[in-house]
Amino acid sequence: MASKSFFGFLQDVRTETTKVTWPGRREVMVTTGLVLLMCIFIGIFFVISDQIIRVSVGFILGIGN
């Protein structure tokens, strides 16, 4: 396998890519939307968590308003 030429490798890659089932436009759009939605939810979760921790630490240390 190690003695295979570069062009043989490229041929193998080309053969394997023909076996791939590529997603359609609709599937790509749906999964992209879901990823963006999850990023927004996770971002909101971390902002809220950070604020809760900040207020808690400030209250415990007595440096809050």
Side-chain angles (χ1 to χ4, degrees):
M1 181 93 178
S3 65
K4 209 166 202 186
S5 70
F6 179 71
F7 294 109
F9 171 74
L10 288 180
Q11 182 63 34
D12 289 345
V13 169
R14 187 176 206 176
T15 302
E16 290 298 320
T17 56
T18 60
K19 297 177 185 178
V20 174
T21 303
W22 299 101
R25 181 178 177 88
R26 185 174 190 282
E27 186 179 357
V28 170
M29 297 302 282
V30 168
T31 53
T32 300
L34 289 173
V35 168
L36 292 175
L37 190 64
M38 287 302 296
C39 288
I40 290 169
F41 283 141
I42 291 170
I44 291 170
F45 169 76
F46 281 121
V47 166
I48 292 170
S49 299
D50 184 52
Q51 294 302 313
I52 291 171
I53 292 169
R54 182 184 62 83
V55 169
S56 300
V57 168
F59 178 74
I60 291 169
L61 297 177
I63 57 175
N65 291 333

